Each structure stands twice: as C-alpha cells, then as structure tokens.
Amino acid sequence: MTGQTGPLRRTERLERLLEVSRTLSSTLELGPLLQSIVDVAVELTDSEAVSILLYDSSSGELRFETVPATQGSDLQKLSVPLENSVAGWIFTHTKPMVVQDAATDPRVFRKVDHALHFQTRSLLGLPLRIRAETIGVIEAVNKRGSAHYTEDDLKVLETLAAQAAIAIENARLLARLQQANTELMRLDRMKSDFIAIASHELRTPLGLILGHATFLKEVVPPDYAEQMDVIIKGSMRLKTLVEDMSTISHKEEGQSRVRRELFSMTKMVIDTVSRFQESAVEKQIELGCDVPENDPLMIEADRDKIEVALGNLVRNAITFTDAQGQVGLKAETEGGYIKVFVVDTGIGIPSGEADKIFDRFYQVESHLTRRHGGMGLGLSIAKAMVEMHNGQIWVESKEGTGSLFCMMLPVNERQASSAARVFHT
Ligand code: ADP
C-alpha cells in the first residue's frame, strides 16, 4: 500500500474512514472501537504505531489508553508527563505537532522508547477534544520508509481523533448513566426495604394501641371520651398509612394476587358513599352517587383491592375539595368494562402533573400546604390495583375547577385477558 498514490489511495482512505464511522455508530464498547481507530490510523498514515493517550486527573499525566496490539500491556503501564514531552505539549497547547526528526529532538520523552526498546524517528500528534475540553492525545509514530508526515496524514489523523473523542464521550456518558442507574436502583431498594420493615414493625404496636384505646373508651369516665376519640382517630389514620405501606410492599414483592369473586359494583359504590359520608359531612361537602337503579353492574374482580382503590379516590376527592363543594361517584358499563368515576369540584391538579400523581410518594407541591397527612401512596396503590386487573385508571382535571378520576375495569377474567393483549401490543 505504501506504493499507492493518487485517487485510488484517496478512495481507499475514505472507505476505511467510513468503516470506522460505521463501527462507531454500531457499538458502544469503547475498547474495540478505539482499537479499530488505532489500527486504521496505523494503516492510513503508514506508521509503525499509533497510540491514544488520555489525561488522568489523579496523576496529572497522560496515560496510554489504546496502543497497537503488538505493544499491548507494556505500554499501557506507562504514562507521560505534561512537561518535557511532545504529547504533553500537544495536550497543554491543544495544537497538533509534527516532529520529522525525533532522534535529535529534545522535546521527545525518551523513557517510553527505553522501556520498549523502541526508537521514535518521526511523530505526528493531535489533541483529542470533546467540545471545549481536551481529554488526551493521539500520536502516530515513525512514518514508514523514512518518509515525512504529510498534510494528508494530518487530515486523516484529525478525522480519526474526532471519532475517537466521540467514542470516548459516548462511553463516558454511558458509564455515568449506568452508575446513576445503579445508584437509583440501590436507593429504590433501600426505600422498598424501609417500607417493608416499617410497615411490618408498626403493625403490632399500632394494633395494641388501637385495641386498648377502644377498650379504655368504654371504661373511662365520659369526661375523657373526647380525648379517647382523638387517640382512636389518630391511630386509625396511622393504621391506614401502615396498610398503604404494606400494600405497596406486597405489590413490589409480587405477593399480591388477584382473587376474583363476583360482586355488584353498584353496591360497592353505594357502600363507599356511606363509608365516607361522615367525613364529607364534617367538611360540609355534598357526597352522592349516580348508579343504574336496576342494574347491579356485576363484575368478577378482587373485591378488596377494588374497594381500596375506590376508597383512595374518594378520600382524595374529599381531602382536596373545600367546604360547600361536591363529590360524586358514578358507575356504568361500556363494552366488556365497568367504568367508575369519582368527580369533585375541588382544587384540581396543575397541568403537567396529572401523570406524576400516580407515582409512588408523589404529591403536588402546591397542595402540601393542606397538611392532609398523606404520603403520596394512595393513587399509586389505586393504579397498581387497577392494573393488576388489566384495567386502566386516569384523571382529567382543571386546576381550580375540579378533577375526574376514572377506573375502567374488565368485567371478568376473559375480558381481562383480551384487555391485556390490547394494552400490551
Ligand atoms: P396522598 O393523597 O397520600 O398525598 P395520593 O397518591 O393519593 O397521595 O395523591 C397524590 C397527590 O395527587 C396528592 O398529594 C394531591 O396532590 C394530588 N391529588 C390526588 N387526588 C386529587 C384530587 N381529587 N384533587 C386534587 N389533587 C389530587
């Protein structure tokens, strides 16, 4: 190939450069990528060797990152100082350098030659840059046939240096992303462990407090009834929170299973309205429902789970609606589904937050002034429960006007299976 010049040689060079570009876009593995860049650089610049050196901020020196396979491990143990070396000069001045007669040039760092029993005769080097940052140097050594490095060699090496820099940046970004991901997973695991342990450990003492408080309320003089009620109400609230935590934990551990039974959604809606009537009255909120009079809306689902999901929606609707507001429940069939709506005239949800509120522990920041005592788990639980049935849950809301939550549930297992096919394709 040394004998070839002119257009053919140019086409060959372009093809080889194109090959490197293709490799660059087809793999993220840094080692093989840089190796292929070095190999192509050796070939196209007609050099005895090409190496990539990267700046190591801990030692303040340039470390050999990729070298020709023949010089492998010996060279990779060596580093080059920034002072008194060609590579160091290129790095600190961020400029290319050509040394046509290296044997007599004092700028050449000789230690590497000595260590490898090698003699650097000529050298062409360029800085490796990622945007404004210089990260290292690429060097071609000993132009074959005692020729001089040319302008063409410089251009080829420049192109390859740019590709090497992209490969290195991609690898660094990927490494950072993987590290962040591992850290996130570790934190998520810690959070899950905490939820599992806390909910388990709190359950027993809380049961004792609640049991004894209920017993005491019966026997203490009526003067203390109000205080006892405060204790019981507070403990009940804690119990709900612990149950939420435990539900989430079971769901994560995969311990939650759907146990289907046939029940009437009409009845569940009516019962839920009665269950929350007291809290609604306390807040001066009008709570009612609209269900078909003569249709029980039978559904085959896990009654407890749907009851929890619906309860969470209604509790929120009451919490985030002010006095004189309204909360309404509605149920109807549509195709093989039953849709249950919980509508309120409350404070609504800011646009852009509607999807996030279904995430675990997510609470709308501007709502936190309400001190409603929640933990941001209610909706994620409702979503988990609904999705376990292959159903869907969503919200439509306008800030300051109100919200409409809808749960759409398949009426039976067969419908749930076909829903799974529809939703997952
Ligand atoms: P929690 O109610 O315990 O904070 P949820 O997961 O049930 O947690 O709800 C998450 C957040 O979504 C709430 O903190 C609130 O900001 C918002 N949200 C839920 N339901 C409503 C609603 N009906 N109206 C307005 N905001 C709501």
Side-chain angles (χ1 to χ4, degrees), residues 316 320 344 348-349 357 362-364 367 372 374-376 378-379 405:
N316 280 343
F320 297 104
D344 66 58
I349 295 149
I357 57 169
Y362 192 86
Q363 296 181 307
V364 176
H367 294 178
H372 63 283
M375 279 196 301
L379 287 179
F405 282 83

Side-chain angles (χ1 to χ4, degrees), residues 69-297:
T70 46
Q71 292 177 320
S73 51
D74 286 344
L75 198 49
Q76 264 161 335
K77 284 184 208 126
L78 294 171
S79 38
V80 175
L82 295 188
E83 308 261 303
N84 303 321
S85 73
V86 173
W89 188 93
I90 295 170
F91 180 82
T92 42
H93 291 79
T94 49
K95 281 189 184 141
M97 185 190 265
V98 192
V99 181
Q100 303 289 20
D101 186 7
T104 56
D105 199 307
R107 294 169 299 184
V108 176
F109 184 61
R110 303 277 162 207
K111 237 183 178 169
V112 177
D113 278 6
H114 291 159
L116 298 175
H117 310 294
F118 183 84
Q119 201 203 346
T120 303
R121 294 191 312 277
S122 57
L123 193 152
L124 168 64
L126 284 170
L128 286 181
R129 290 168 66 83
I130 296 177
R131 285 182 286 275
E133 188 197 357
T134 309
I135 56 160
V137 171
I138 184 165
E139 275 185 345
V141 180
N142 293 355
K143 179 88 175 167
R144 286 183 199 276
S146 305
H148 280 180
Y149 280 112
T150 62
E151 195 61 29
D152 266 3
D153 292 329
L154 183 68
K155 278 193 193 134
V156 165
L157 209 58
E158 240 165 19
T159 310
L160 290 168
Q163 284 168 327
I166 295 172
I168 293 164
E169 182 172 35
N170 284 349
R172 286 184 176 175
L173 289 175
L174 188 71
R176 239 181 278 160
L177 204 68
Q178 275 166 346
Q179 205 182 351
N181 207 18
T182 313
E183 181 60 9
L184 269 180
M185 275 159 62
R186 191 183 68 82
L187 290 175
D188 203 52
R189 188 70 238 161
M190 267 174 69
K191 197 162 78 175
S192 303
D193 287 350
F194 171 76
I195 296 174
I197 295 168
S199 62
H200 184 259
E201 295 300 318
L202 288 174
R203 194 182 279 267
T204 314
L206 199 58
L208 288 172
I209 293 172
L210 204 54
H212 285 268
T214 317
F215 166 75
L216 282 177
K217 192 186 167 199
E218 302 297 318
V219 294
V220 294
D223 295 358
Y224 297 108
E226 206 179 306
Q227 280 84 348
M228 290 315 299
D229 276 341
V230 171
I231 295 174
I232 292 171
K233 223 172 166 189
S235 314
M236 288 294 281
R237 179 77 199 119
L238 267 179
K239 190 167 169 257
T240 314
L241 292 177
V242 170
E243 273 164 8
D244 279 0
M245 285 160 75
S246 154
T247 309
I248 282 286
S249 169
H250 283 164
K251 161 88 184 15
E252 280 184 352
E253 302 291 322
Q255 290 172 9
S256 275
R257 296 268 171 276
V258 174
R259 292 183 193 84
R260 286 180 197 277
E261 59 182 303
L262 192 66
F263 65 91
S264 155
M265 185 57 85
T266 302
K267 182 165 184 314
M268 182 177 280
V269 167
I270 294 169
D271 289 350
T272 306
V273 168
S274 323
R275 184 152 63 99
F276 285 94
Q277 203 56 259
E278 198 184 321
S279 338
V281 169
E282 233 171 65
K283 275 197 75 179
Q284 297 173 31
I285 288 171
E286 196 185 310
L287 172 66
C289 67
D290 173 9
V291 280
E293 241 169 59
N294 302 317
D295 188 347
L297 296 176

Side-chain angles (χ1 to χ4, degrees), residues 291-310:
V291 280
E293 241 169 59
N294 302 317
D295 188 347
L297 296 176
M298 296 308 287
I299 183 168
E300 232 178 78
D302 190 319
R303 185 204 294 256
D304 291 346
K305 292 191 170 61
I306 302 302
E307 198 170 78
V308 168
L310 185 59

Side-chain angles (χ1 to χ4, degrees), residues 237 241 244 312-313 316-321 344 346-350 356-359 361-365 367-368 372-381 397 402-403 405:
R237 179 77 199 119
L241 292 177
D244 279 0
N312 288 355
L313 295 187
N316 280 343
I318 295 173
T319 305
F320 297 104
T321 301
D344 66 58
I347 60 174
I349 295 149
K356 297 188 209 144
I357 57 169
F358 292 97
D359 291 345
F361 298 107
Y362 192 86
Q363 296 181 307
V364 176
E365 209 167 324
H367 294 178
L368 292 178
H372 63 283
M375 279 196 301
L377 284 177
L379 287 179
S380 67
I381 289 173
S397 181
S403 311
F405 282 83

